[in-house]
Amino acid sequence: MNDEAVPFDDRGLAYGDGLFETVLVRDGQPLLWDEHMARLEEGCHRLGIAFPGHDRLACLPACSGPGLHVLKLIVTRGSGGRGYLPPTDAEPRLRWRSSPFSPRRAHWTDGVRVRLCELRLGHQPRLAGIKHLNRLENVLARQEWSDPDIAEGLLSDSSGRLIEATCMNLFWQYGPRWETPSLARCGVEGTLRAGLLRQCSLHEVDRGSDVLLEADSLWLGNSIQGIWPITSLVDSSGQLLRAWSTASLDRSLQAEAHALLGYPLPA
Amino acid sequence: MNDEAVPFDDRGLAYGDGLFETVLVRDGQPLLWDEHMARLEEGCHRLGIAFPGHDRLACLPACSGPGLHVLKLIVTRGSGGRGYLPPTDAEPRLRWRSSPFSPRRAHWTDGVRVRLCELRLGHQPRLAGIKHLNRLENVLARQEWSDPDIAEGLLSDSSGRLIEATCMNLFWQYGPRWETPSLARCGVEGTLRAGLLRQCSLHEVDRGSDVLLEADSLWLGNSIQGIWPITSLVDSSGQLLRAWSTASLDRSLQAEAHALLGYPLPA
């Protein structure tokens, strides 16, 4: 573990000038490690931060003990610079912590209630997709509700396109076709989503919120929790917009996802 | 001084979940203090962070010794929470550091060369104006050039409206009329700009980059450096778009600004 404090002049603190990953680790073995490393490397490339190196990172998951853990790692650009201009010799700072973890297993089977968030994600293609440390939009969106029966909030962008949930990606099904929002303008490209795009027939599309009322089923997923079916959708005032039964769900995407994470497929 | 390190779980580091101010201090007396405190309080209100309190903050400038200093203070939401959801009992963390400072006096008189940035600021009205810790757009924009003869870069938003420079606000003059971009969708409401809006005839407007070619004079300013006239403007490839002479400049806005900061008016 190296979760020591970061100094006042760290640019991750000063400007959110850095990246993070949260990795599911089972008995010291990371899940979706290639996807996490690819996203981190892409983030470093986009921000102009030196990638800490595969060898240095690859040994971290093994430090988690037996059982399930979440490994959180933060890479900042390091210290210093005159204002926003990074120093040419910036030395990236790596911090990481591993914590025991249990997924919300009941959500796999029973599904979740979600709401529509009022906040609209702004467009910034230069930062879209990567998991940088500028996450105030997510924090503001997550503060919109406190009801523990609402598991997530769905976010649209300033043009009305559906994008993601506050900490999960969104998927839906039209008959045999599976789709997920394009994240070219905003949103985070989750590593579970990346794994599914690699091995399933899953299509990235631009769609407005009308899809929520039309799709056969809606799902939320990330690399820590696995995949949850959405069973009810409420608007930002709590009004029910639609409900789905879990009785005849096509759980094929969930099966693919849970295979990637070593999670069981609900019966 | 309280510039000690912040822990791994600080939300300022994790998500940029906080705010900062950089205050000019002369012989222990802060300049534009009311404007800095008003912006910080507004930022705390927007993010739902408890404001640290006027009394606690008001004693900080006096800790700077004689001469000019910049007092940087950072307020984060504090530690913890489950993901993006802040803990209900979050205890804000205050850090601050005072450093000796000298403004770039030659720029007051001789003016500066500036460039147009390629990055476009995204729209996020929920975060516009406040000085939060999510500053990757500024960092990316500032990385677009390394030529030390270029003092600043001008930023437009995704709709093509002129907004600000990477760490300064923008002002221009049409005959007797002074204008500055509206910051309702993005950008930082500088405290010098706030002081000028309070006491001058200065109008907030939405304008595209055509104003750069039409205005009688262009200026950049912030509460640390004072106000610089722009004497040449280049595009992102370095091509000269326009030049201005300092010979017959109307320095009335600069006079007002420098009076607010205790800086001299260039002869």
Side-chain angles (χ1 to χ4, degrees), chain B residues 202-236:
Chain B
L202 172 63
H203 305 271
E204 297 180 272
V205 296
D206 280 328
R207 285 298 302 264
S209 57
D210 52 316
V211 76
L212 298 172
L213 302 180
E214 296 166 7
D216 295 314
S217 63
L218 285 167
W219 304 76
L220 292 173
N222 68 27
S223 65
I224 305 299
Q225 293 287 358
I227 295 244
W228 303 337
I230 296 177
T231 47
S232 65
L233 175 67
V234 300
D235 67 15
S236 53

Side-chain angles (χ1 to χ4, degrees), chain A residues 2-267:
Chain A
N2 178 359
D3 60 358
E4 64 187 75
V6 305
F8 181 85
D9 67 0
D10 184 87
R11 296 176 59 95
L13 172 64
Y15 308 130
D17 193 2
L19 303 145
F20 71 113
E21 294 289 333
T22 50
V23 183
L24 185 67
V25 180
R26 179 177 292 103
D27 299 328
Q29 297 293 321
L31 286 302
L32 294 169
W33 184 250
D34 291 348
E35 284 78 5
H36 284 289
M37 290 302 97
R39 183 173 62 184
L40 183 61
E41 195 163 7
E42 166 70 10
C44 285
H45 173 72
R46 289 237 223 129
L47 301 187
I49 293 175
F51 181 65
H54 290 283
D55 292 350
R56 187 169 168 206
L57 296 168
C59 62
L60 304 185
C63 301
S64 299
L68 273 188
H69 287 78
V70 167
L71 167 67
K72 174 163 182 173
L73 58 92
I74 299 178
V75 177
T76 79
R77 194 187 301 271
S79 286
R82 206 185 53 213
Y84 296 124
L85 182 65
T88 50
D89 58 350
E91 201 165 308
R93 185 167 279 124
L94 172 65
R95 292 288 184 271
W96 57 280
R97 175 184 284 181
S98 182
S99 311
F101 177 73
S102 296
R104 299 176 171 194
R105 293 168 184 277
H107 287 354
W108 296 339
T109 315
D110 305 339
V112 294
R113 187 177 188 84
V114 305
R115 74 192 291 282
L116 298 181
C117 288
E118 290 180 355
L119 180 132
R120 293 283 172 269
L121 295 169
H123 290 176
Q124 185 44 270
R126 298 280 300 277
L127 297 173
I130 62 175
K131 196 148 177 166
H132 55 70
L133 297 175
N134 279 199
R135 301 260 70 103
L136 275 174
E137 289 187 322
N138 308 65
V139 172
L140 286 175
R142 186 57 190 83
Q143 284 185 98
E144 289 187 21
W145 81 97
S146 55
D147 178 352
D149 290 338
I150 294 179
E152 254 289 20
L154 302 186
L155 288 160
S156 296
D157 70 8
S158 53
S159 304
R161 296 182 196 93
L162 265 178
I163 303 294
E164 62 187 1
T166 68
C167 71
M168 302 182 101
N169 286 123
L170 177 63
F171 309 89
W172 58 76
Q173 185 190 27
Y174 272 113
R177 184 176 161 93
W178 288 90
E179 297 179 344
T180 190
S182 161
L183 304 177
R185 303 170 193 87
C186 49
V188 177
E189 291 177 8
T191 54
L192 179 60
R193 178 180 179 278
L196 291 170
L197 280 167
R198 176 169 47 77
Q199 70 177 48
C200 304
S201 178
L202 173 63
H203 305 271
E204 296 180 272
V205 296
D206 281 327
R207 286 297 303 263
S209 56
D210 52 317
V211 75
L212 299 172
L213 302 180
E214 296 166 5
D216 295 315
S217 63
L218 284 168
W219 304 75
L220 293 174
N222 68 27
S223 65
I224 305 299
Q225 293 287 356
I227 295 244
W228 304 337
I230 295 177
T231 48
S232 65
L233 174 68
V234 300
D235 67 15
S236 52
S237 68
Q239 183 83 29
L240 184 69
L241 296 175
R242 194 177 166 196
W244 291 259
S245 161
T246 57
S248 57
L249 274 178
D250 174 353
R251 290 186 180 267
S252 57
L253 191 79
Q254 191 178 39
E256 296 273 7
H258 283 205
L260 288 170
L261 297 172
Y263 284 150
L265 180 65

Side-chain angles (χ1 to χ4, degrees), chain B residues 6-198:
Chain B
V6 305
F8 181 86
D9 67 359
D10 183 87
R11 296 176 60 95
L13 172 64
Y15 307 130
D17 193 2
L19 302 146
F20 70 112
E21 295 288 333
T22 49
V23 183
L24 185 67
V25 180
R26 179 177 293 106
D27 300 327
Q29 296 293 320
L31 285 302
L32 294 169
W33 185 250
D34 290 349
E35 285 77 6
H36 284 289
M37 290 302 99
R39 182 172 65 184
L40 183 60
E41 196 163 8
E42 166 70 10
C44 285
H45 173 72
R46 290 237 220 128
L47 301 187
I49 293 176
F51 180 66
H54 289 284
D55 292 351
R56 187 170 167 205
L57 297 168
C59 62
L60 304 185
C63 301
S64 298
L68 272 188
H69 287 77
V70 167
L71 167 66
K72 175 164 182 173
L73 57 93
I74 299 177
V75 176
T76 78
R77 195 187 300 272
S79 286
R82 206 184 54 213
Y84 295 125
L85 182 65
T88 50
D89 58 349
E91 202 165 307
R93 185 167 279 123
L94 172 66
R95 293 288 184 270
W96 57 279
R97 175 184 284 181
S98 181
S99 311
F101 177 73
S102 296
R104 300 178 170 193
R105 293 169 185 276
H107 287 355
W108 295 339
T109 314
D110 305 339
V112 293
R113 187 176 187 84
V114 305
R115 74 192 290 284
L116 298 181
C117 287
E118 289 179 356
L119 180 132
R120 293 282 172 270
L121 295 169
H123 290 176
Q124 185 44 270
R126 297 280 301 277
L127 296 172
I130 63 174
K131 196 147 180 169
H132 54 71
L133 297 175
N134 279 199
R135 300 262 69 104
L136 275 174
E137 289 186 323
N138 308 66
V139 172
L140 286 175
R142 186 57 190 82
Q143 284 185 99
E144 288 187 20
W145 81 97
S146 55
D147 177 351
D149 290 336
I150 295 180
E152 254 289 21
L154 303 186
L155 288 159
S156 296
D157 70 8
S158 54
S159 304
R161 296 183 196 92
L162 265 178
I163 303 295
E164 62 187 1
T166 69
C167 71
M168 302 181 100
N169 287 122
L170 177 63
F171 308 89
W172 58 77
Q173 184 191 27
Y174 274 113
R177 183 177 161 94
W178 288 90
E179 296 179 344
T180 191
S182 162
L183 304 177
R185 301 170 194 88
C186 48
V188 177
E189 291 178 8
T191 54
L192 179 59
R193 178 181 179 277
L196 290 170
L197 280 167
R198 177 170 46 76

